[in-house]
Amino acid sequence: TSVPSSVGTGPQATVFTVTFTANIAIADSNRKILFSPRNVSSTSTMIVNAQQAVSATNQIDILNQELQRDVITQIFAILTAPQLN
C-alpha cells in the first residue's frame, strides 16, 4: 500500500511523507510457516511549493514507483539471504 499524507503546510510549501509497505510471509504446501509475516516498507518526503501544486500528483506517482522498487529490492534481499529469519 502507498500512503501519501500531508504532514505540514506553510504559505509557500506543503510537505508530503509517502510510504509504501508490503506484508510478506512464506509457507510451504502444507501451510507450515517458513517465514513469519513481516512488513517491508520504504518512506520518503517530498516538498511541493505553490507553483508545483498542479504537478504534485505526478510527482507522488513517480515517488511511489521509486518506493515500490526499493521495497522489491528489500524483499529480494530477504528471499536470497542464506537463511530466512
Side-chain angles (χ1 to χ4, degrees), residues 16-85:
F16 289 93
T17 297
V18 182
T19 300
F20 185 85
T21 302
N23 185 285
I24 63 170
I26 300 174
D28 65 13
S29 60
N30 296 319
R31 297 188 181 185
K32 179 184 174 192
I33 301 295
L34 302 175
F35 182 76
S36 298
R38 76 171 62 172
N39 287 327
V40 180
S41 65
S42 186
T43 301
S44 187
T45 301
M46 182 177 78
I47 300 171
V48 178
N49 66 32
Q51 289 94 5
Q52 296 171 316
V54 174
S55 65
T57 301
N58 187 45
Q59 292 174 355
I60 289 174
D61 289 342
I62 291 168
L63 181 57
N64 189 40
Q65 290 173 2
E66 292 172 7
L67 296 175
Q68 286 178 31
R69 280 191 288 273
D70 183 52
V71 167
I72 290 167
T73 301
Q74 291 179 54
I75 292 170
F76 183 74
I78 291 168
L79 296 176
T80 58
Q83 271 190 322
L84 292 176
N85 295 322

